[in-house]
Amino acid sequence: MQGACYLIRYLDDFVVCFQYRADALQFQEVLSKRLAKFSLTLESSKTKLIEFGCFSQRHAKERGRQQETIYFLGFTHYCSRNRKGNFQIARKTEKTRLRRGFAKVSDIALKNRHKPLKEQARAFNLYLRGHYAYYGLGGNQAGLHKIHTGMLRNGGTEP
């Protein structure tokens, strides 16, 4: 590799980051050959090469394109700036996971509607604690708030 590279892995999912595009293309080619030796292939719907980093916002604007994002472990990762104007990777709850959360809250409401309020609250709180523990990252307050308000307003349907 000519530049910096990083591997972010969780179980069988991973993201590989490269400083230079040529390194990424070379890695993709070598990985495909290596997997072929074991009769495996990369999942084409989950494999993509995107520009991501501190200069990607500027480059996307120059090319008249929208900046690309990465979906990984239930989060949408995108490039952003902090309050001081420095580059940061921001994360928000992936839309499909948010819909799944609304469905789960609706399911909890249906299963517990005939129970006393204390038991209903216990069931909702148990789910919300787990949801908040996983998705409760800095900058993801909007996703957490949507689940909470969806639960309060509509018994789980999207607000």
Side-chain angles (χ1 to χ4, degrees):
M1 301 293 123
Q2 299 298 313
C5 60
Y6 303 95
L7 173 68
I8 299 120
R9 183 178 71 88
Y10 183 77
L11 297 176
D12 64 340
D13 292 329
F14 62 93
V15 174
V16 187
C17 308
F18 297 93
Q19 185 175 0
Y20 299 113
R21 182 177 180 81
D23 289 344
L25 293 170
Q26 179 186 359
F27 175 81
Q28 191 171 16
E29 182 182 324
V30 170
L31 182 61
S32 294
K33 287 179 184 177
R34 176 80 172 147
L35 290 173
K37 288 182 180 180
F38 301 100
S39 301
L40 298 171
T41 59
L42 290 170
E43 175 61 46
S44 59
S45 66
K46 293 183 174 184
T47 305
K48 63 181 181 177
L49 181 63
I50 67 167
E51 183 177 12
F52 195 85
C54 56
F55 301 113
S56 64
Q57 288 177 315
R58 183 174 9 145
H59 293 163
K61 282 183 185 177
E62 289 171 359
R63 295 179 187 128
R65 295 181 185 163
Q66 193 173 22
Q67 187 178 347
E68 296 182 272
T69 59
I70 298 170
Y71 301 105
F72 186 60
L73 300 177
F75 291 96
T76 301
H77 301 266
Y78 59 98
C79 299
S80 183
R81 300 275 173 195
N82 64 14
R83 290 181 183 183
K84 293 182 179 179
N86 298 325
F87 170 77
Q88 73 175 14
I89 296 175
R91 294 171 298 273
K92 62 182 179 182
T93 307
E94 193 178 333
K95 288 179 184 178
T96 58
R97 300 297 176 99
L98 205 52
R99 282 191 217 106
R100 192 184 299 171
F102 290 131
K104 180 68 175 169
V105 168
S106 282
D107 188 48
I108 291 169
L110 284 172
K111 286 181 179 178
N112 293 287
R113 66 182 166 189
H114 299 298
K115 293 182 180 177
L117 283 177
K118 256 188 177 177
E119 288 182 41
Q120 290 180 31
R122 190 176 299 122
F124 281 121
N125 286 335
L126 184 65
Y127 172 73
L128 287 176
R129 261 189 246 116
H131 185 85
Y132 291 168
Y134 186 80
Y135 292 103
L137 298 177
N140 193 27
Q141 294 88 350
L144 299 178
H145 185 69
K146 284 179 184 178
I147 287 290
H148 185 258
T149 56
M151 182 195 67
L152 293 177
R153 286 186 189 166
N154 309 6
T157 58
E158 200 166 343

